[in-house]
mmCIF file of all heavy atoms in Angstrom:
data_model
loop_
_atom_site.group_PDB
_atom_site.id
_atom_site.type_symbol
_atom_site.label_atom_id
_atom_site.label_comp_id
_atom_site.label_asym_id
_atom_site.label_seq_id
_atom_site.Cartn_x
_atom_site.Cartn_y
_atom_site.Cartn_z
ATOM 1 N N TYR A 122 275.946 162.291 -0.364
ATOM 2 C CA TYR A 122 275.590 163.184 0.737
ATOM 3 C C TYR A 122 276.527 164.386 0.796
ATOM 4 O O TYR A 122 276.084 165.536 0.837
ATOM 5 C CB TYR A 122 275.623 162.421 2.056
ATOM 6 C CG TYR A 122 275.444 163.317 3.272
ATOM 7 C CD1 TYR A 122 274.207 163.899 3.542
ATOM 8 C CD2 TYR A 122 276.506 163.584 4.132
ATOM 9 C CE1 TYR A 122 274.039 164.731 4.642
ATOM 10 C CE2 TYR A 122 276.345 164.408 5.231
ATOM 11 C CZ TYR A 122 275.102 164.977 5.490
ATOM 12 O OH TYR A 122 274.958 165.802 6.571
ATOM 13 N N LEU A 123 277.826 164.163 0.774
ATOM 14 C CA LEU A 123 278.777 165.235 1.004
ATOM 15 C C LEU A 123 278.884 166.218 -0.164
ATOM 16 O O LEU A 123 279.256 167.373 0.043
ATOM 17 C CB LEU A 123 280.161 164.651 1.303
ATOM 18 C CG LEU A 123 280.308 163.978 2.674
ATOM 19 C CD1 LEU A 123 281.712 163.432 2.841
ATOM 20 C CD2 LEU A 123 280.003 164.961 3.792
ATOM 21 N N LYS A 124 278.541 165.791 -1.374
ATOM 22 C CA LYS A 124 278.644 166.720 -2.502
ATOM 23 C C LYS A 124 277.648 167.872 -2.383
ATOM 24 O O LYS A 124 277.794 168.891 -3.064
ATOM 25 C CB LYS A 124 278.450 165.982 -3.824
ATOM 26 C CG LYS A 124 277.062 165.450 -4.068
ATOM 27 C CD LYS A 124 276.930 164.783 -5.444
ATOM 28 C CE LYS A 124 277.838 163.607 -5.619
ATOM 29 N NZ LYS A 124 277.563 162.845 -6.870
ATOM 30 N N HIS A 125 276.663 167.726 -1.504
ATOM 31 C CA HIS A 125 275.682 168.787 -1.291
ATOM 32 C C HIS A 125 275.900 169.514 0.033
ATOM 33 O O HIS A 125 275.042 170.289 0.455
ATOM 34 C CB HIS A 125 274.262 168.201 -1.322
ATOM 35 C CG HIS A 125 273.926 167.502 -2.608
ATOM 36 N ND1 HIS A 125 273.846 168.164 -3.816
ATOM 37 C CD2 HIS A 125 273.690 166.189 -2.879
ATOM 38 C CE1 HIS A 125 273.554 167.292 -4.766
ATOM 39 N NE2 HIS A 125 273.453 166.098 -4.225
ATOM 40 N N GLN A 126 277.033 169.258 0.682
ATOM 41 C CA GLN A 126 277.338 169.893 1.960
ATOM 42 C C GLN A 126 278.598 170.743 1.828
ATOM 43 O O GLN A 126 279.490 170.425 1.052
ATOM 44 C CB GLN A 126 277.565 168.829 3.049
ATOM 45 C CG GLN A 126 276.451 167.802 3.190
ATOM 46 C CD GLN A 126 275.157 168.420 3.629
ATOM 47 O OE1 GLN A 126 275.136 169.280 4.505
ATOM 48 N NE2 GLN A 126 274.049 167.979 3.030
ATOM 49 N N ALA A 127 278.656 171.817 2.614
ATOM 50 C CA ALA A 127 279.851 172.674 2.647
ATOM 51 C C ALA A 127 280.845 172.084 3.647
ATOM 52 O O ALA A 127 281.204 172.710 4.648
ATOM 53 C CB ALA A 127 279.473 174.098 3.013
ATOM 54 N N ILE A 128 281.273 170.854 3.377
ATOM 55 C CA ILE A 128 282.155 170.119 4.277
ATOM 56 C C ILE A 128 283.315 169.539 3.477
ATOM 57 O O ILE A 128 283.114 168.964 2.408
ATOM 58 C CB ILE A 128 281.394 168.975 4.991
ATOM 59 C CG1 ILE A 128 280.327 169.538 5.933
ATOM 60 C CG2 ILE A 128 282.352 168.074 5.763
ATOM 61 C CD1 ILE A 128 279.453 168.462 6.555
ATOM 62 N N THR A 129 284.513 169.713 3.982
ATOM 63 C CA THR A 129 285.677 169.020 3.435
ATOM 64 C C THR A 129 286.135 167.975 4.448
ATOM 65 O O THR A 129 285.833 168.062 5.636
ATOM 66 C CB THR A 129 286.832 169.987 3.130
ATOM 67 O OG1 THR A 129 287.207 170.678 4.333
ATOM 68 C CG2 THR A 129 286.422 170.991 2.064
ATOM 69 N N LEU A 130 286.863 166.987 3.962
ATOM 70 C CA LEU A 130 287.280 165.861 4.794
ATOM 71 C C LEU A 130 288.775 165.904 5.089
ATOM 72 O O LEU A 130 289.582 166.202 4.206
ATOM 73 C CB LEU A 130 286.943 164.534 4.109
ATOM 74 C CG LEU A 130 285.470 164.264 3.810
ATOM 75 C CD1 LEU A 130 285.331 162.967 3.019
ATOM 76 C CD2 LEU A 130 284.661 164.199 5.091
ATOM 77 N N ASP A 131 289.105 165.610 6.320
ATOM 78 C CA ASP A 131 290.487 165.358 6.716
ATOM 79 C C ASP A 131 290.508 163.928 7.228
ATOM 80 O O ASP A 131 290.100 163.656 8.358
ATOM 81 C CB ASP A 131 290.915 166.344 7.806
ATOM 82 C CG ASP A 131 292.353 166.127 8.244
ATOM 83 O OD1 ASP A 131 293.052 165.280 7.633
ATOM 84 O OD2 ASP A 131 292.801 166.786 9.204
ATOM 85 N N LEU A 132 290.933 162.998 6.380
ATOM 86 C CA LEU A 132 290.844 161.574 6.694
ATOM 87 C C LEU A 132 292.147 161.077 7.316
ATOM 88 O O LEU A 132 293.223 161.214 6.730
ATOM 89 C CB LEU A 132 290.517 160.775 5.432
ATOM 90 C CG LEU A 132 289.176 161.142 4.776
ATOM 91 C CD1 LEU A 132 288.991 160.362 3.477
ATOM 92 C CD2 LEU A 132 288.011 160.878 5.727
ATOM 93 N N VAL A 133 292.025 160.510 8.494
ATOM 94 C CA VAL A 133 293.160 159.945 9.216
ATOM 95 C C VAL A 133 293.112 158.429 9.034
ATOM 96 O O VAL A 133 292.157 157.774 9.451
ATOM 97 C CB VAL A 133 293.088 160.296 10.715
ATOM 98 C CG1 VAL A 133 294.271 159.695 11.460
ATOM 99 C CG2 VAL A 133 293.043 161.808 10.900
ATOM 100 N N ILE A 134 294.105 157.866 8.371
ATOM 101 C CA ILE A 134 294.103 156.447 8.070
ATOM 102 C C ILE A 134 294.616 155.662 9.269
ATOM 103 O O ILE A 134 295.762 155.831 9.698
ATOM 104 C CB ILE A 134 294.963 156.129 6.832
ATOM 105 C CG1 ILE A 134 294.575 157.041 5.663
ATOM 106 C CG2 ILE A 134 294.834 154.663 6.453
ATOM 107 C CD1 ILE A 134 293.116 156.960 5.288
ATOM 108 N N GLU A 135 293.736 154.841 9.831
ATOM 109 C CA GLU A 135 294.080 154.015 10.980
ATOM 110 C C GLU A 135 293.496 152.617 10.784
ATOM 111 O O GLU A 135 292.442 152.463 10.179
ATOM 112 C CB GLU A 135 293.509 154.607 12.277
ATOM 113 C CG GLU A 135 294.220 155.856 12.764
ATOM 114 C CD GLU A 135 295.578 155.576 13.383
ATOM 115 O OE1 GLU A 135 296.074 154.437 13.258
ATOM 116 O OE2 GLU A 135 296.155 156.503 13.972
ATOM 117 N N ASP A 136 294.173 151.624 11.316
ATOM 118 C CA ASP A 136 293.646 150.261 11.268
ATOM 119 C C ASP A 136 292.303 150.208 11.976
ATOM 120 O O ASP A 136 292.067 150.928 12.948
ATOM 121 C CB ASP A 136 294.632 149.306 11.942
ATOM 122 C CG ASP A 136 294.220 147.856 11.773
ATOM 123 O OD1 ASP A 136 294.477 147.293 10.701
ATOM 124 O OD2 ASP A 136 293.617 147.307 12.713
ATOM 125 N N GLN A 137 291.414 149.351 11.482
ATOM 126 C CA GLN A 137 290.064 149.282 12.036
ATOM 127 C C GLN A 137 290.043 148.893 13.509
ATOM 128 O O GLN A 137 289.059 149.125 14.211
ATOM 129 C CB GLN A 137 289.191 148.302 11.241
ATOM 130 C CG GLN A 137 289.683 146.877 11.237
ATOM 131 C CD GLN A 137 290.569 146.580 10.037
ATOM 132 O OE1 GLN A 137 291.001 147.501 9.348
ATOM 133 N NE2 GLN A 137 290.830 145.318 9.789
ATOM 134 N N ASP A 138 291.122 148.305 14.011
ATOM 135 C CA ASP A 138 291.156 147.892 15.411
ATOM 136 C C ASP A 138 291.605 149.005 16.351
ATOM 137 O O ASP A 138 291.466 148.879 17.569
ATOM 138 C CB ASP A 138 292.086 146.688 15.592
ATOM 139 C CG ASP A 138 291.516 145.415 14.964
ATOM 140 O OD1 ASP A 138 290.284 145.270 14.967
ATOM 141 O OD2 ASP A 138 292.296 144.600 14.461
ATOM 142 N N VAL A 139 292.148 150.105 15.827
ATOM 143 C CA VAL A 139 292.705 151.139 16.711
ATOM 144 C C VAL A 139 292.160 152.532 16.441
ATOM 145 O O VAL A 139 292.483 153.470 17.166
ATOM 146 C CB VAL A 139 294.249 151.180 16.608
ATOM 147 C CG1 VAL A 139 294.854 149.853 17.028
ATOM 148 C CG2 VAL A 139 294.702 151.544 15.200
ATOM 149 N N GLY A 140 291.318 152.698 15.429
ATOM 150 C CA GLY A 140 290.834 154.031 15.083
ATOM 151 C C GLY A 140 290.082 154.718 16.200
ATOM 152 O O GLY A 140 290.103 155.949 16.315
ATOM 153 N N LEU A 141 289.418 153.942 17.064
ATOM 154 C CA LEU A 141 288.622 154.537 18.135
ATOM 155 C C LEU A 141 289.489 155.301 19.128
ATOM 156 O O LEU A 141 289.008 156.206 19.807
ATOM 157 C CB LEU A 141 287.829 153.445 18.862
ATOM 158 C CG LEU A 141 286.665 153.912 19.744
ATOM 159 C CD1 LEU A 141 285.647 154.684 18.933
ATOM 160 C CD2 LEU A 141 286.000 152.719 20.411
ATOM 161 N N GLU A 142 290.757 154.965 19.220
ATOM 162 C CA GLU A 142 291.647 155.673 20.136
ATOM 163 C C GLU A 142 291.759 157.142 19.754
ATOM 164 O O GLU A 142 291.945 158.006 20.622
ATOM 165 C CB GLU A 142 293.029 155.012 20.130
ATOM 166 C CG GLU A 142 294.001 155.572 21.148
ATOM 167 C CD GLU A 142 293.518 155.416 22.587
ATOM 168 O OE1 GLU A 142 292.752 154.461 22.855
ATOM 169 O OE2 GLU A 142 293.903 156.247 23.419
ATOM 170 N N ARG A 143 291.641 157.436 18.462
ATOM 171 C CA ARG A 143 291.667 158.832 18.017
ATOM 172 C C ARG A 143 290.494 159.611 18.598
ATOM 173 O O ARG A 143 290.614 160.783 18.939
ATOM 174 C CB ARG A 143 291.618 158.893 16.489
ATOM 175 C CG ARG A 143 292.860 158.377 15.797
ATOM 176 C CD ARG A 143 293.948 159.418 15.776
ATOM 177 N NE ARG A 143 295.013 159.060 14.860
ATOM 178 C CZ ARG A 143 295.974 159.902 14.474
ATOM 179 N NH1 ARG A 143 295.978 161.137 14.926
ATOM 180 N NH2 ARG A 143 296.916 159.501 13.642
ATOM 181 N N MET A 144 289.333 158.975 18.705
ATOM 182 C CA MET A 144 288.185 159.646 19.299
ATOM 183 C C MET A 144 288.373 159.830 20.799
ATOM 184 O O MET A 144 288.017 160.869 21.355
ATOM 185 C CB MET A 144 286.900 158.862 19.024
ATOM 186 C CG MET A 144 286.352 159.066 17.628
ATOM 187 S SD MET A 144 284.626 158.567 17.468
ATOM 188 C CE MET A 144 283.789 159.845 18.399
ATOM 189 N N ARG A 145 288.920 158.838 21.458
ATOM 190 C CA ARG A 145 289.163 158.966 22.898
ATOM 191 C C ARG A 145 290.065 160.159 23.198
ATOM 192 O O ARG A 145 289.927 160.826 24.224
ATOM 193 C CB ARG A 145 289.801 157.698 23.448
ATOM 194 C CG ARG A 145 288.885 156.485 23.491
ATOM 195 C CD ARG A 145 289.464 155.382 24.347
ATOM 196 N NE ARG A 145 288.600 154.214 24.353
ATOM 197 C CZ ARG A 145 288.746 153.167 23.556
ATOM 198 N NH1 ARG A 145 289.754 153.152 22.678
ATOM 199 N NH2 ARG A 145 287.926 152.150 23.609
ATOM 200 N N LYS A 146 290.998 160.419 22.297
ATOM 201 C CA LYS A 146 291.926 161.532 22.474
ATOM 202 C C LYS A 146 291.332 162.866 21.995
ATOM 203 O O LYS A 146 291.982 163.903 22.108
ATOM 204 C CB LYS A 146 293.229 161.255 21.716
ATOM 205 C CG LYS A 146 294.029 160.096 22.290
ATOM 206 C CD LYS A 146 295.300 159.874 21.485
ATOM 207 C CE LYS A 146 296.126 158.744 22.079
ATOM 208 N NZ LYS A 146 297.374 158.490 21.297
ATOM 209 N N GLY A 147 290.116 162.809 21.433
ATOM 210 C CA GLY A 147 289.501 164.035 20.939
ATOM 211 C C GLY A 147 290.098 164.550 19.650
ATOM 212 O O GLY A 147 289.936 165.712 19.299
ATOM 213 N N GLU A 148 290.790 163.688 18.893
ATOM 214 C CA GLU A 148 291.487 164.132 17.687
ATOM 215 C C GLU A 148 290.614 164.087 16.443
ATOM 216 O O GLU A 148 290.952 164.702 15.432
ATOM 217 C CB GLU A 148 292.731 163.268 17.460
ATOM 218 C CG GLU A 148 293.768 163.395 18.575
ATOM 219 C CD GLU A 148 294.926 162.442 18.388
ATOM 220 O OE1 GLU A 148 294.931 161.703 17.395
ATOM 221 O OE2 GLU A 148 295.830 162.440 19.246
ATOM 222 N N VAL A 149 289.512 163.328 16.482
ATOM 223 C CA VAL A 149 288.638 163.224 15.318
ATOM 224 C C VAL A 149 287.190 163.366 15.778
ATOM 225 O O VAL A 149 286.856 163.110 16.938
ATOM 226 C CB VAL A 149 288.823 161.886 14.568
ATOM 227 C CG1 VAL A 149 290.225 161.772 13.996
ATOM 228 C CG2 VAL A 149 288.524 160.706 15.488
ATOM 229 N N ALA A 150 286.330 163.760 14.837
ATOM 230 C CA ALA A 150 284.913 163.925 15.148
ATOM 231 C C ALA A 150 284.143 162.633 14.965
ATOM 232 O O ALA A 150 283.037 162.481 15.503
ATOM 233 C CB ALA A 150 284.304 165.012 14.269
ATOM 234 N N ALA A 151 284.695 161.701 14.206
ATOM 235 C CA ALA A 151 284.024 160.430 13.949
ATOM 236 C C ALA A 151 285.071 159.414 13.540
ATOM 237 O O ALA A 151 286.192 159.776 13.155
ATOM 238 C CB ALA A 151 282.971 160.581 12.856
ATOM 239 N N CYS A 152 284.704 158.135 13.603
ATOM 240 C CA CYS A 152 285.637 157.116 13.134
ATOM 241 C C CYS A 152 284.877 155.880 12.685
ATOM 242 O O CYS A 152 283.745 155.624 13.119
ATOM 243 C CB CYS A 152 286.674 156.765 14.198
ATOM 244 S SG CYS A 152 286.133 155.581 15.432
ATOM 245 N N LEU A 153 285.502 155.145 11.802
ATOM 246 C CA LEU A 153 284.999 153.860 11.329
ATOM 247 C C LEU A 153 285.945 152.808 11.881
ATOM 248 O O LEU A 153 287.139 152.822 11.559
ATOM 249 C CB LEU A 153 284.991 153.838 9.801
ATOM 250 C CG LEU A 153 284.305 152.653 9.124
ATOM 251 C CD1 LEU A 153 282.814 152.692 9.384
ATOM 252 C CD2 LEU A 153 284.580 152.679 7.630
#
Side-chain angles (χ1 to χ4, degrees):
Y122 172 71
L123 288 179
K124 68 177 61 171
H125 301 295
Q126 307 296 318
I128 294 174
T129 58
L130 299 175
D131 180 5
L132 299 176
V133 180
I134 309 303
E135 287 286 11
D136 187 80
Q137 61 267 13
D138 290 327
V139 299
L141 196 59
E142 186 61 28
R143 292 279 193 168
M144 281 197 71
R145 290 194 182 96
K146 293 180 178 179
E148 297 175 1
V149 296
C152 82
L153 189 67

